[in-house]
Structures are given as C-alpha cells and as structure tokens.
Amino acid sequence: MNGGSTALIVLGLFLAGGIVSFVRQKMPTSLIVLLSVGAAMCLVAGIVRLEV
C-alpha cells in the first residue's frame, strides 16, 4: 500500500462515518446522497490504486 491509496481509503471511511452521523441528525437526504457518492468514489479509487 502506498500513501495515496491509504489516504483515499481513510478519507472514504471518514466520509462513511459522516454519513452515519448525518442520518442520525436527520439531515436532508440530498446531502446524505452527495456524501455517499463521495465516500464511495474515495473508497473505490483507493482500492483501485492498491499495488498488491
């Protein structure tokens, strides 16, 4: 694992935690969807960049 992929995976997990928090606070659905898309993109990019 290099630094870039690690950073993307950590950022994706951080955003996923934000999704849980936003759902509990009953934030607008559009904001939750936007955050979900960002988290998914970060996680996928981090996994694709893995050099295993």
mmCIF file with all atom_site columns, all heavy atoms in Angstrom, residues 2-21:
data_model
loop_
_atom_site.group_PDB
_atom_site.id
_atom_site.type_symbol
_atom_site.label_atom_id
_atom_site.label_alt_id
_atom_site.label_comp_id
_atom_site.label_asym_id
_atom_site.label_entity_id
_atom_site.label_seq_id
_atom_site.pdbx_PDB_ins_code
_atom_site.Cartn_x
_atom_site.Cartn_y
_atom_site.Cartn_z
_atom_site.occupancy
_atom_site.B_iso_or_equiv
_atom_site.pdbx_formal_charge
_atom_site.auth_seq_id
_atom_site.auth_comp_id
_atom_site.auth_asym_id
_atom_site.auth_atom_id
_atom_site.pdbx_PDB_model_num
ATOM 1   N N   . ASN A 1 2  ? 0.594   2.134  -0.893 1.00 0.00 ? 2  ASN A N   1
ATOM 2   C CA  . ASN A 1 2  ? 1.331   3.389  -0.887 1.00 0.00 ? 2  ASN A CA  1
ATOM 3   C C   . ASN A 1 2  ? 0.515   4.462  -0.173 1.00 0.00 ? 2  ASN A C   1
ATOM 4   O O   . ASN A 1 2  ? -0.629  4.250  0.226  1.00 0.00 ? 2  ASN A O   1
ATOM 5   C CB  . ASN A 1 2  ? 1.706   3.806  -2.311 1.00 0.00 ? 2  ASN A CB  1
ATOM 6   C CG  . ASN A 1 2  ? 0.505   3.954  -3.209 1.00 0.00 ? 2  ASN A CG  1
ATOM 7   O OD1 . ASN A 1 2  ? -0.622  3.952  -2.739 1.00 0.00 ? 2  ASN A OD1 1
ATOM 8   N ND2 . ASN A 1 2  ? 0.748   4.099  -4.489 1.00 0.00 ? 2  ASN A ND2 1
ATOM 9   N N   . GLY A 1 3  ? 1.097   5.636  -0.024 1.00 0.00 ? 3  GLY A N   1
ATOM 10  C CA  . GLY A 1 3  ? 0.450   6.696  0.734  1.00 0.00 ? 3  GLY A CA  1
ATOM 11  C C   . GLY A 1 3  ? -0.825  7.206  0.108  1.00 0.00 ? 3  GLY A C   1
ATOM 12  O O   . GLY A 1 3  ? -1.782  7.553  0.811  1.00 0.00 ? 3  GLY A O   1
ATOM 13  N N   . GLY A 1 4  ? -0.864  7.275  -1.218 1.00 0.00 ? 4  GLY A N   1
ATOM 14  C CA  . GLY A 1 4  ? -2.052  7.794  -1.898 1.00 0.00 ? 4  GLY A CA  1
ATOM 15  C C   . GLY A 1 4  ? -3.270  6.917  -1.707 1.00 0.00 ? 4  GLY A C   1
ATOM 16  O O   . GLY A 1 4  ? -4.362  7.408  -1.413 1.00 0.00 ? 4  GLY A O   1
ATOM 17  N N   . SER A 1 5  ? -3.075  5.621  -1.864 1.00 0.00 ? 5  SER A N   1
ATOM 18  C CA  . SER A 1 5  ? -4.213  4.713  -1.696 1.00 0.00 ? 5  SER A CA  1
ATOM 19  C C   . SER A 1 5  ? -4.664  4.681  -0.240 1.00 0.00 ? 5  SER A C   1
ATOM 20  O O   . SER A 1 5  ? -5.864  4.616  0.041  1.00 0.00 ? 5  SER A O   1
ATOM 21  C CB  . SER A 1 5  ? -3.857  3.308  -2.182 1.00 0.00 ? 5  SER A CB  1
ATOM 22  O OG  . SER A 1 5  ? -2.823  2.756  -1.404 1.00 0.00 ? 5  SER A OG  1
ATOM 23  N N   . THR A 1 6  ? -3.716  4.744  0.677  1.00 0.00 ? 6  THR A N   1
ATOM 24  C CA  . THR A 1 6  ? -4.071  4.762  2.090  1.00 0.00 ? 6  THR A CA  1
ATOM 25  C C   . THR A 1 6  ? -4.883  6.000  2.432  1.00 0.00 ? 6  THR A C   1
ATOM 26  O O   . THR A 1 6  ? -5.892  5.923  3.151  1.00 0.00 ? 6  THR A O   1
ATOM 27  C CB  . THR A 1 6  ? -2.800  4.713  2.956  1.00 0.00 ? 6  THR A CB  1
ATOM 28  O OG1 . THR A 1 6  ? -2.051  3.551  2.607  1.00 0.00 ? 6  THR A OG1 1
ATOM 29  C CG2 . THR A 1 6  ? -3.136  4.678  4.424  1.00 0.00 ? 6  THR A CG2 1
ATOM 30  N N   . ALA A 1 7  ? -4.454  7.143  1.912  1.00 0.00 ? 7  ALA A N   1
ATOM 31  C CA  . ALA A 1 7  ? -5.160  8.396  2.186  1.00 0.00 ? 7  ALA A CA  1
ATOM 32  C C   . ALA A 1 7  ? -6.586  8.359  1.633  1.00 0.00 ? 7  ALA A C   1
ATOM 33  O O   . ALA A 1 7  ? -7.531  8.816  2.291  1.00 0.00 ? 7  ALA A O   1
ATOM 34  C CB  . ALA A 1 7  ? -4.395  9.571  1.594  1.00 0.00 ? 7  ALA A CB  1
ATOM 35  N N   . LEU A 1 8  ? -6.756  7.817  0.439  1.00 0.00 ? 8  LEU A N   1
ATOM 36  C CA  . LEU A 1 8  ? -8.088  7.745  -0.159 1.00 0.00 ? 8  LEU A CA  1
ATOM 37  C C   . LEU A 1 8  ? -9.002  6.810  0.625  1.00 0.00 ? 8  LEU A C   1
ATOM 38  O O   . LEU A 1 8  ? -10.180 7.111  0.833  1.00 0.00 ? 8  LEU A O   1
ATOM 39  C CB  . LEU A 1 8  ? -7.993  7.293  -1.618 1.00 0.00 ? 8  LEU A CB  1
ATOM 40  C CG  . LEU A 1 8  ? -7.511  8.358  -2.597 1.00 0.00 ? 8  LEU A CG  1
ATOM 41  C CD1 . LEU A 1 8  ? -7.203  7.724  -3.948 1.00 0.00 ? 8  LEU A CD1 1
ATOM 42  C CD2 . LEU A 1 8  ? -8.536  9.452  -2.746 1.00 0.00 ? 8  LEU A CD2 1
ATOM 43  N N   . ILE A 1 9  ? -8.471  5.685  1.073  1.00 0.00 ? 9  ILE A N   1
ATOM 44  C CA  . ILE A 1 9  ? -9.281  4.738  1.837  1.00 0.00 ? 9  ILE A CA  1
ATOM 45  C C   . ILE A 1 9  ? -9.669  5.338  3.190  1.00 0.00 ? 9  ILE A C   1
ATOM 46  O O   . ILE A 1 9  ? -10.826 5.239  3.620  1.00 0.00 ? 9  ILE A O   1
ATOM 47  C CB  . ILE A 1 9  ? -8.532  3.396  2.007  1.00 0.00 ? 9  ILE A CB  1
ATOM 48  C CG1 . ILE A 1 9  ? -8.431  2.702  0.656  1.00 0.00 ? 9  ILE A CG1 1
ATOM 49  C CG2 . ILE A 1 9  ? -9.226  2.500  3.022  1.00 0.00 ? 9  ILE A CG2 1
ATOM 50  C CD1 . ILE A 1 9  ? -7.555  1.478  0.640  1.00 0.00 ? 9  ILE A CD1 1
ATOM 51  N N   . VAL A 1 10 ? -8.725  6.006  3.845  1.00 0.00 ? 10 VAL A N   1
ATOM 52  C CA  . VAL A 1 10 ? -9.022  6.637  5.133  1.00 0.00 ? 10 VAL A CA  1
ATOM 53  C C   . VAL A 1 10 ? -10.054 7.744  4.955  1.00 0.00 ? 10 VAL A C   1
ATOM 54  O O   . VAL A 1 10 ? -10.986 7.878  5.755  1.00 0.00 ? 10 VAL A O   1
ATOM 55  C CB  . VAL A 1 10 ? -7.727  7.167  5.790  1.00 0.00 ? 10 VAL A CB  1
ATOM 56  C CG1 . VAL A 1 10 ? -8.023  8.065  6.965  1.00 0.00 ? 10 VAL A CG1 1
ATOM 57  C CG2 . VAL A 1 10 ? -6.848  6.007  6.215  1.00 0.00 ? 10 VAL A CG2 1
ATOM 58  N N   . LEU A 1 11 ? -9.910  8.539  3.903  1.00 0.00 ? 11 LEU A N   1
ATOM 59  C CA  . LEU A 1 11 ? -10.881 9.600  3.634  1.00 0.00 ? 11 LEU A CA  1
ATOM 60  C C   . LEU A 1 11 ? -12.265 9.021  3.356  1.00 0.00 ? 11 LEU A C   1
ATOM 61  O O   . LEU A 1 11 ? -13.275 9.540  3.840  1.00 0.00 ? 11 LEU A O   1
ATOM 62  C CB  . LEU A 1 11 ? -10.426 10.459 2.455  1.00 0.00 ? 11 LEU A CB  1
ATOM 63  C CG  . LEU A 1 11 ? -11.348 11.602 2.056  1.00 0.00 ? 11 LEU A CG  1
ATOM 64  C CD1 . LEU A 1 11 ? -11.483 12.604 3.192  1.00 0.00 ? 11 LEU A CD1 1
ATOM 65  C CD2 . LEU A 1 11 ? -10.818 12.291 0.809  1.00 0.00 ? 11 LEU A CD2 1
ATOM 66  N N   . GLY A 1 12 ? -12.327 7.929  2.604  1.00 0.00 ? 12 GLY A N   1
ATOM 67  C CA  . GLY A 1 12 ? -13.607 7.282  2.328  1.00 0.00 ? 12 GLY A CA  1
ATOM 68  C C   . GLY A 1 12 ? -14.270 6.757  3.593  1.00 0.00 ? 12 GLY A C   1
ATOM 69  O O   . GLY A 1 12 ? -15.484 6.901  3.773  1.00 0.00 ? 12 GLY A O   1
ATOM 70  N N   . LEU A 1 13 ? -13.481 6.191  4.495  1.00 0.00 ? 13 LEU A N   1
ATOM 71  C CA  . LEU A 1 13 ? -14.040 5.703  5.757  1.00 0.00 ? 13 LEU A CA  1
ATOM 72  C C   . LEU A 1 13 ? -14.480 6.852  6.648  1.00 0.00 ? 13 LEU A C   1
ATOM 73  O O   . LEU A 1 13 ? -15.498 6.754  7.345  1.00 0.00 ? 13 LEU A O   1
ATOM 74  C CB  . LEU A 1 13 ? -13.013 4.827  6.476  1.00 0.00 ? 13 LEU A CB  1
ATOM 75  C CG  . LEU A 1 13 ? -12.691 3.502  5.785  1.00 0.00 ? 13 LEU A CG  1
ATOM 76  C CD1 . LEU A 1 13 ? -11.559 2.794  6.517  1.00 0.00 ? 13 LEU A CD1 1
ATOM 77  C CD2 . LEU A 1 13 ? -13.924 2.625  5.706  1.00 0.00 ? 13 LEU A CD2 1
ATOM 78  N N   . PHE A 1 14 ? -13.745 7.963  6.621  1.00 0.00 ? 14 PHE A N   1
ATOM 79  C CA  . PHE A 1 14 ? -14.136 9.151  7.376  1.00 0.00 ? 14 PHE A CA  1
ATOM 80  C C   . PHE A 1 14 ? -15.475 9.686  6.871  1.00 0.00 ? 14 PHE A C   1
ATOM 81  O O   . PHE A 1 14 ? -16.365 10.027 7.656  1.00 0.00 ? 14 PHE A O   1
ATOM 82  C CB  . PHE A 1 14 ? -13.045 10.213 7.253  1.00 0.00 ? 14 PHE A CB  1
ATOM 83  C CG  . PHE A 1 14 ? -13.383 11.505 7.933  1.00 0.00 ? 14 PHE A CG  1
ATOM 84  C CD1 . PHE A 1 14 ? -13.299 11.611 9.304  1.00 0.00 ? 14 PHE A CD1 1
ATOM 85  C CD2 . PHE A 1 14 ? -13.774 12.601 7.197  1.00 0.00 ? 14 PHE A CD2 1
ATOM 86  C CE1 . PHE A 1 14 ? -13.603 12.806 9.941  1.00 0.00 ? 14 PHE A CE1 1
ATOM 87  C CE2 . PHE A 1 14 ? -14.084 13.792 7.810  1.00 0.00 ? 14 PHE A CE2 1
ATOM 88  C CZ  . PHE A 1 14 ? -13.993 13.905 9.189  1.00 0.00 ? 14 PHE A CZ  1
ATOM 89  N N   . LEU A 1 15 ? -15.626 9.743  5.552  1.00 0.00 ? 15 LEU A N   1
ATOM 90  C CA  . LEU A 1 15 ? -16.883 10.212 4.978  1.00 0.00 ? 15 LEU A CA  1
ATOM 91  C C   . LEU A 1 15 ? -18.021 9.244  5.277  1.00 0.00 ? 15 LEU A C   1
ATOM 92  O O   . LEU A 1 15 ? -19.166 9.665  5.482  1.00 0.00 ? 15 LEU A O   1
ATOM 93  C CB  . LEU A 1 15 ? -16.732 10.418 3.468  1.00 0.00 ? 15 LEU A CB  1
ATOM 94  C CG  . LEU A 1 15 ? -15.827 11.573 3.049  1.00 0.00 ? 15 LEU A CG  1
ATOM 95  C CD1 . LEU A 1 15 ? -15.665 11.578 1.533  1.00 0.00 ? 15 LEU A CD1 1
ATOM 96  C CD2 . LEU A 1 15 ? -16.347 12.894 3.540  1.00 0.00 ? 15 LEU A CD2 1
ATOM 97  N N   . ALA A 1 16 ? -17.730 7.951  5.326  1.00 0.00 ? 16 ALA A N   1
ATOM 98  C CA  . ALA A 1 16 ? -18.759 6.969  5.673  1.00 0.00 ? 16 ALA A CA  1
ATOM 99  C C   . ALA A 1 16 ? -19.229 7.178  7.109  1.00 0.00 ? 16 ALA A C   1
ATOM 100 O O   . ALA A 1 16 ? -20.425 7.038  7.404  1.00 0.00 ? 16 ALA A O   1
ATOM 101 C CB  . ALA A 1 16 ? -18.216 5.554  5.489  1.00 0.00 ? 16 ALA A CB  1
ATOM 102 N N   . GLY A 1 17 ? -18.325 7.533  8.001  1.00 0.00 ? 17 GLY A N   1
ATOM 103 C CA  . GLY A 1 17 ? -18.721 7.865  9.364  1.00 0.00 ? 17 GLY A CA  1
ATOM 104 C C   . GLY A 1 17 ? -19.590 9.113  9.397  1.00 0.00 ? 17 GLY A C   1
ATOM 105 O O   . GLY A 1 17 ? -20.522 9.218  10.199 1.00 0.00 ? 17 GLY A O   1
ATOM 106 N N   . GLY A 1 18 ? -19.296 10.057 8.514  1.00 0.00 ? 18 GLY A N   1
ATOM 107 C CA  . GLY A 1 18 ? -20.120 11.253 8.409  1.00 0.00 ? 18 GLY A CA  1
ATOM 108 C C   . GLY A 1 18 ? -21.524 10.935 7.937  1.00 0.00 ? 18 GLY A C   1
ATOM 109 O O   . GLY A 1 18 ? -22.490 11.578 8.357  1.00 0.00 ? 18 GLY A O   1
ATOM 110 N N   . ILE A 1 19 ? -21.653 9.942  7.077  1.00 0.00 ? 19 ILE A N   1
ATOM 111 C CA  . ILE A 1 19 ? -22.977 9.527  6.597  1.00 0.00 ? 19 ILE A CA  1
ATOM 112 C C   . ILE A 1 19 ? -23.819 9.041  7.773  1.00 0.00 ? 19 ILE A C   1
ATOM 113 O O   . ILE A 1 19 ? -24.981 9.426  7.923  1.00 0.00 ? 19 ILE A O   1
ATOM 114 C CB  . ILE A 1 19 ? -22.839 8.419  5.527  1.00 0.00 ? 19 ILE A CB  1
ATOM 115 C CG1 . ILE A 1 19 ? -22.175 8.968  4.282  1.00 0.00 ? 19 ILE A CG1 1
ATOM 116 C CG2 . ILE A 1 19 ? -24.191 7.824  5.188  1.00 0.00 ? 19 ILE A CG2 1
ATOM 117 C CD1 . ILE A 1 19 ? -21.721 7.896  3.315  1.00 0.00 ? 19 ILE A CD1 1
ATOM 118 N N   . VAL A 1 20 ? -23.218 8.202  8.609  1.00 0.00 ? 20 VAL A N   1
ATOM 119 C CA  . VAL A 1 20 ? -23.933 7.686  9.777  1.00 0.00 ? 20 VAL A CA  1
ATOM 120 C C   . VAL A 1 20 ? -24.364 8.836  10.686 1.00 0.00 ? 20 VAL A C   1
ATOM 121 O O   . VAL A 1 20 ? -25.506 8.882  11.159 1.00 0.00 ? 20 VAL A O   1
ATOM 122 C CB  . VAL A 1 20 ? -23.046 6.681  10.543 1.00 0.00 ? 20 VAL A CB  1
ATOM 123 C CG1 . VAL A 1 20 ? -23.697 6.260  11.845 1.00 0.00 ? 20 VAL A CG1 1
ATOM 124 C CG2 . VAL A 1 20 ? -22.747 5.475  9.679  1.00 0.00 ? 20 VAL A CG2 1
ATOM 125 N N   . SER A 1 21 ? -23.470 9.775  10.901 1.00 0.00 ? 21 SER A N   1
ATOM 126 C CA  . SER A 1 21 ? -23.779 10.925 11.748 1.00 0.00 ? 21 SER A CA  1
ATOM 127 C C   . SER A 1 21 ? -24.904 11.767 11.155 1.00 0.00 ? 21 SER A C   1
ATOM 128 O O   . SER A 1 21 ? -25.807 12.208 11.872 1.00 0.00 ? 21 SER A O   1
ATOM 129 C CB  . SER A 1 21 ? -22.527 11.775 11.928 1.00 0.00 ? 21 SER A CB  1
ATOM 130 O OG  . SER A 1 21 ? -22.812 12.951 12.628 1.00 0.00 ? 21 SER A OG  1
#
